[in-house]
Amino acid sequence: MTTTTRHSKHLGISIDRPAQEVYDYVSDPANVPGWAPGLARSIELVDGRWVGESPMGRVVVDFTPRNDFGVLDHDVTLPSGETVHNPMRVLTDGPGCEVVFTLRRLPWMSDEDFHRDAEAVTADLTALKRLMEHTQAVP
């Protein structure tokens, strides 16, 4: 079952690294624990699907196919069976880029839940920035 939303918030961060390098790293689901531990602390390919251990429990993460537009949308199926669509983009910005994540507020979320979710996404984006800017060769 896909959930509907009531409100979205765009969270972004500038990264001093070429957009293609950031896109190449983030678009590989195996790298999720390195930049998004709030989504999954570990992840493995199980029967053709990426299954992660998250703070919420086991989740399934399905990224959009690789593309030339910097689109990193991904669906996360929660332990409850609900699927949340997460729009995400890598946008070229001069020699660097901006990564923008659209956080969706689900109907059952309180203001505190939504705020906590925004903090977790911001922490993940900050981890991505730190990793990309301080690593010569992306792992």
Side-chain angles (χ1 to χ4, degrees), residues 10-88:
H10 302 288
L11 304 168
I13 196 160
S14 294
I15 299 178
D16 188 19
R17 206 58 192 262
Q20 190 63 52
E21 289 182 23
V22 174
Y23 178 83
D24 288 344
Y25 180 73
V26 176
S27 66
D28 182 348
N31 293 327
V32 166
W35 68 269
L39 172 57
R41 293 177 289 236
S42 66
I43 196 163
E44 63 182 330
L45 193 58
V46 177
D47 297 326
R49 306 220 38 216
W50 289 96
V51 179
E53 291 300 328
S54 82
M56 303 167 281
R58 287 182 71 95
V59 296
V60 176
V61 183
D62 293 305
F63 274 90
T64 192
R66 287 186 55 86
N67 58 81
D68 294 331
F69 307 106
V71 175
L72 292 165
D73 291 6
H74 53 283
D75 290 337
V76 177
T77 303
L78 304 173
S80 68
E82 291 179 280
T83 298
V84 179
H85 180 70
N86 299 288
M88 188 173 176

Side-chain angles (χ1 to χ4, degrees), residues 114-126:
F114 189 60
H115 179 74
R116 203 171 17 259
D117 222 10
E119 287 179 337
V121 170
T122 298
D124 287 347
L125 293 174
T126 301

